[in-house]
Amino acid sequence: VQLVESGGGLVQAGGSLRVSCAASGRTFSGYSMGWFRQAPGKEREFVAAMSWSGTRPYYADSVKDRFTISRDNAKNTVYLEMNSLKPEDTAVYYCAAARRGFRVDVSTEVDYWGQGTQVTVSS
């Protein structure tokens, strides 16, 4: 599976942004998909994930009620809609894929990573 993110950019605090991750290669629908982020000088952290069936999305506490993950298996694409953005959301956002039986919210169980897309939130 190859993952390619897009949609990052610069936005003011309180604004919204949607990042996308297009997958190619193996059967996309067989993978749980997720998003991580890494800010300068910090470790990569889990943001949001969705199971292979498209149900049961779950989020890090820091983004709950502000971010929404969704997937379109027909388009082999997963999205992260980010609302009420804060300067502390500034990071490189990475798409992740994990096979069934593995946890996509645990970085060591991720099978595939995208190259990342920069999201910058100005105050």
Side-chain angles (χ1 to χ4, degrees), residues 4-6 17 34 36 43-44 58 70 82-84 105 110 114 118 123:
V4 179
E5 299 97 333
S6 61
L17 202 62
F36 285 72
E43 292 186 355
R44 190 171 298 189
Y58 48 106
S70 61
M82 302 179 288
N83 298 313
S84 303
D105 59 330
V110 169
Q118 177 70 46
S123 57

Side-chain angles (χ1 to χ4, degrees), residues 2-112:
Q2 293 182 321
L3 305 175
V4 179
E5 299 97 333
S6 61
L10 174 64
V11 63
Q12 288 188 333
S16 299
L17 202 62
R18 187 178 78 163
V19 291
S20 303
C21 172
S24 61
R26 294 181 181 270
T27 304
F28 174 75
S29 60
Y31 288 80
S32 294
M33 302 298 297
W35 290 93
F36 285 72
R37 67 186 181 185
Q38 187 167 19
K42 295 187 176 180
E43 292 186 355
R44 190 171 298 189
E45 64 175 1
F46 166 73
V47 175
M50 177 170 276
S51 66
W52 63 272
S53 63
T55 58
R56 299 185 295 157
Y58 48 106
Y59 303 92
D61 288 343
S62 58
V63 305
K64 200 171 294 182
D65 298 326
R66 298 189 299 122
F67 289 14
T68 301
I69 186 172
S70 61
R71 65 188 292 167
D72 185 337
N73 286 345
K75 296 182 178 180
N76 287 356
T77 301
V78 62
Y79 305 96
L80 185 68
E81 183 76 34
M82 302 179 288
N83 298 313
S84 303
L85 282 161
K86 305 174 182 180
E88 51 263 43
D89 295 317
T90 295
V92 177
Y93 282 71
Y94 295 92
C95 182
R99 291 164 288 165
R100 292 188 200 183
F102 292 84
R103 294 186 57 172
V104 72
D105 59 330
V106 177
S107 60
T108 54
E109 296 195 15
V110 169
D111 292 297
Y112 302 100

